[in-house]
Amino acid sequence: GEDVEQSLFLSVREGDSSVINCTYTDSSSTYLYWYKQEPGAGLQLLTYIFSNMDMKQDQRLTVLLNKKDKHLSLRIADTQTGDSAIYFCAEGSGGSYIPTFGRGTSLIVHP
Amino acid sequence: KAGVTQTPRYLIKTRGQQVTLSCSPISGHRSVSWYQQTPGQGLQFLFEYFSETQRNKGNFPGRFSGRQFSNSRSEMNVSTLELGDSALYLCASSLGQGEGKGTYEQYFGPGTRLTVT
């Protein structure tokens, strides 16, 4: 079946930029999403990008999409300790109406 | 607009018992999906209901079942509980139809933390 891959951990220093990467296999993906999960909570939708876009910026968040390589990234500028969480990449395509989620990247921000 | 609500938030059950979890979706959302989240397996899709019908199903044993009511509220049932069923169970609602970004955009509840002893 279709797959979404993410690295499991990322550690950064407060104030630096964080870049979380994701690769997917479904070439028919139409929408790609980033979710954030804080400890003990559900997933929160952060942002999305449509497959005909290369980049989307939303305040401190920048999403880059390389459709040819099926590579998606989430850049968080000026990372804060409150950004420490698990970040999930998800892709939506086809008629199942269910997105496929990656395993999540645990972002640890050091003071 | 109220978010997705799940009840109860925490449950402790004994092996062999059964449990029912409840989820109320965002108003206007007709699709409800259920996920199991554990540290070892990550986020795993259980099933999805749309307009009272199970439309998609993950790879879980028949002990896991669900249903959806006419008001789109959904329940999930796990029978004959095993220790390995201890997990955070997440419910997500979405439009579940159409072609825009909202089709796949899921809104999650806070989850029900199930502990099986």
Side-chain angles (χ1 to χ4, degrees):
Chain A
E2 307 306 339
D3 208 4
V4 177
E5 298 282 343
Q6 299 178 242
S7 53
L8 292 182
F9 299 99
L10 176 65
S11 178
V12 301
R13 203 166 295 231
E14 192 174 19
D16 288 349
S17 291
S18 308
V19 179
I20 303 170
N21 295 301
C22 168
T23 57
Y24 58 97
T25 58
D26 189 348
S27 56
S28 66
S29 294
T30 50
Y31 289 95
L32 296 120
Y33 303 89
W34 284 104
Y35 287 82
K36 175 184 180 182
Q37 185 181 32
E38 297 185 24
L43 278 68
Q44 172 197 353
L45 179 64
L46 279 180
T47 187
Y48 75 96
I49 189 166
F50 186 46
S51 59
N52 69 353
M53 300 166 66
D54 297 323
M55 185 182 87
K56 181 180 180 185
Q57 188 150 3
D58 185 358
Q59 299 183 328
R60 292 191 297 123
L61 304 179
T62 303
V63 179
L64 294 177
L65 175 60
N66 181 329
K67 196 173 179 183
K68 174 177 167 288
D69 294 338
K70 300 191 189 71
H71 182 267
L72 182 73
S73 68
L74 174 70
R75 179 177 179 269
I76 306 173
D78 186 25
T79 313
Q80 303 297 307
T81 53
D83 295 323
S84 293
I86 303 175
Y87 291 82
F88 291 88
C89 164
E91 65 89 18
S93 61
S96 75
Y97 300 104
I98 300 298
T100 301
F101 285 86
R103 288 186 61 104
T105 299
S106 184
L107 174 64
I108 300 162
V109 182
H110 298 284
Chain B
K1 200 183 247 191
V4 178
T5 58
Q6 291 187 247
T7 56
R9 291 294 312 277
Y10 303 92
L11 264 180
I12 299 175
K13 290 285 187 179
T14 304
R15 264 183 306 175
Q17 288 186 313
Q18 75 163 11
V19 68
T20 300
L21 313 182
S22 181
C23 172
S24 291
I26 289 172
S27 177
H29 284 187
R30 294 167 63 188
S31 168
V32 174
S33 298
W34 289 90
Y35 295 85
Q36 182 195 67
Q37 187 178 31
T38 59
Q41 298 297 319
L43 194 66
Q44 293 189 281
F45 172 73
L46 281 153
F47 32 65
E48 181 236 4
Y49 284 85
F50 180 81
S51 290
E52 301 179 66
T53 301
Q54 187 181 86
R55 186 167 64 174
N56 290 287
K57 188 177 187 306
N59 191 25
F60 275 80
R63 300 186 297 108
F64 292 82
S65 63
R67 59 178 175 168
Q68 187 180 34
F69 302 95
S70 58
N71 61 358
S72 293
R73 189 176 71 85
S74 177
E75 288 182 347
M76 188 194 113
N77 185 274
V78 188
S79 63
T80 319
L81 283 165
E82 301 177 0
L83 294 179
D85 297 333
S86 294
L88 181 67
Y89 289 88
L90 293 165
C91 159
S93 79
S94 71
L95 290 172
Q97 61 181 344
E99 296 180 354
K101 72 174 182 72
T103 303
Y104 310 101
E105 194 172 88
Q106 296 197 323
Y107 292 85
F108 285 78
T112 294
R113 171 74 63 185
L114 173 64
T115 302
V116 182
T117 62

